[in-house]
Amino acid sequence: MGNQVEKLTHLSYREVPTVDPTGLDQDEGPRIGVSYIFSADDDDAEDPGGQDSGRQSAVVSPRGRDEVPYDASDELESHVYYRHECIYERSAGQGSTYSPEKLLDTCQPGDLLEFVGKNQFPHWAVYVGDLQVVHLYRLRISNCFVTDASLGRRGRIVNDRYKFKALSPELVVQNAMEQVGCKDRELSWRNSECFAAWCRYGKREFKIGGEIRIGKQPYRLRIQLSEKKSHTLEFQSLEDLIMERRRNDQIGKVAVLQELSSHLHGDEETRTDSNGNTTAP
């Protein structure tokens, strides 16, 4: 009765045909069952490259805020699973960070860059060559210099975070450059990470409403709180999971531990679904 969704029988997540073979997504038609659980996160407090979006910024430039050194030890170790397959991994303190100028020494076109700062959302961008990146910032996709996009924050290459097969560097750059100028309601991504990851992997799961949210919660975000304790959150879509993980990155390890303290019991793993219900592992 009614609409039926064909059951996927693929052996692994990598085999699920979620992308056009050319790497360029076509319109998928009406988006079904979209429910945004978390508010839009992104880095709208600052304005790279001196762009003016017509609204007052809470922070105009890095020089206008209290300088707080970034401590990679404040990062939470986390893994993302689609059913039983790990599709994302970040170890605590993984990857040294570098100044934008130093980062340019190792960047290659098609690389994903992440700029980090204490109590800020991580900002992702696609390096397209000639010292420039394409990124989603303040509801606009723009092309600017790495040094402008960084806003003085340190950065690192994060090509290995997601376990999907990457498109060719040429296609990654093409995907990014073709979106330059998109803004506001034309956008198909909720934050800089979703946009940059889509450019590199081409998967519609990174797009707004790219997945049907009906019933099951196949995605799990496992947060390693200590050597013996972990907490797992369950989600209906990768998009919602990314929003929550980025929020955790922004508030920091100590704040996350305080939030989850009521869920932790002894040394066992606990699990929470997207509605806030806690269950045994």
Side-chain angles (χ1 to χ4, degrees):
M1 296 178 62
N3 296 329
Q4 297 185 11
V5 179
E6 182 180 357
K7 182 178 180 181
L8 296 176
T9 58
H10 299 275
L11 296 178
S12 72
Y13 189 86
R14 294 184 182 86
E15 297 178 82
V16 180
T18 60
V19 58
D20 187 290
T22 65
L24 303 176
D25 270 357
Q26 306 297 322
D27 288 338
E28 296 99 6
R31 291 163 176 156
I32 304 173
V34 177
S35 60
Y36 298 140
I37 301 172
F38 306 101
S39 61
D41 62 28
D42 218 2
D43 337 67
D44 293 343
E46 302 119 9
D47 190 4
Q51 297 171 357
D52 182 6
S53 68
R55 57 183 175 182
Q56 185 175 1
S57 172
V59 178
V60 176
S61 73
R63 298 175 182 82
R65 71 165 75 95
D66 293 334
E67 295 284 345
V68 180
Y70 183 74
D71 184 0
S73 67
D74 193 42
E75 295 177 339
L76 283 164
E77 179 176 338
S78 59
H79 297 76
V80 174
Y81 297 89
Y82 177 78
R83 303 194 188 282
H84 298 293
E85 183 170 3
C86 182
I87 60 173
Y88 172 99
E89 180 178 5
R90 186 185 68 186
S91 300
Q94 182 185 58
S96 300
T97 58
Y98 305 93
S99 68
E101 295 79 10
K102 186 67 173 177
L103 191 60
L104 283 168
D105 291 340
T106 56
C107 286
Q108 298 293 328
D111 284 347
L112 299 188
L113 307 184
E114 179 188 48
F115 299 105
V116 291
K118 187 174 178 62
N119 299 131
Q120 299 175 47
F121 290 106
H123 186 69
W124 287 45
V126 180
Y127 185 68
V128 295
D130 296 327
L131 312 181
Q132 298 183 59
V133 295
V134 172
H135 62 157
L136 170 57
Y137 205 90
R138 298 196 68 165
L139 300 179
R140 178 187 293 271
I141 295 174
S142 59
N143 186 195
C144 69
F145 289 108
V146 170
T147 49
D148 291 333
S150 72
L151 281 168
R153 291 174 287 190
R154 295 175 69 83
R156 55 194 170 193
I157 297 173
V158 288
N159 293 341
D160 297 330
R161 289 281 181 85
Y162 287 97
K163 305 305 178 184
F164 306 127
K165 182 179 179 181
L167 304 174
S168 68
E170 295 78 14
L171 193 49
V172 175
V173 171
Q174 177 182 325
N175 284 346
M177 293 300 295
E178 287 182 347
Q179 303 303 318
V180 171
C182 291
K183 61 182 180 178
D184 301 323
R185 295 184 179 275
E186 300 170 347
L187 297 172
S188 297
W189 306 271
R190 294 177 72 185
N191 54 58
S192 60
E193 180 176 338
C194 286
F195 169 69
W198 174 82
C199 289
R200 184 169 175 84
Y201 304 106
K203 288 186 171 291
R204 66 169 180 260
E205 288 87 341
F206 291 110
K207 287 188 168 184
I208 294 173
E211 295 179 275
I212 299 174
R213 293 173 171 87
I214 298 178
K216 296 181 179 180
Q217 297 174 313
Y219 292 97
R220 292 180 292 122
L221 170 61
R222 182 172 180 173
I223 304 169
Q224 198 67 36
L225 304 174
S226 67
E227 184 177 348
K228 295 183 178 180
K229 290 183 180 179
S230 64
H231 186 75
T232 300
L233 296 159
E234 298 179 340
F235 298 85
Q236 289 182 317
S237 74
L238 181 59
E239 178 190 6
D240 288 335
L241 184 151
I242 290 172
M243 292 291 288
E244 175 65 5
R245 180 176 49 72
R246 288 172 59 79
R247 187 189 71 87
N248 290 343
D249 290 341
Q250 188 264 331
I251 65 176
K253 181 190 293 186
V254 173
V256 172
L257 291 174
Q258 291 174 344
E259 281 190 355
L260 295 177
S261 60
S262 61
H263 295 287
L264 303 179
H265 306 285
D267 292 341
E268 75 276 10
E269 176 184 347
T270 57
R271 180 172 298 176
T272 304
D273 62 22
S274 58
N275 295 317
N277 300 316
T278 302
T279 61

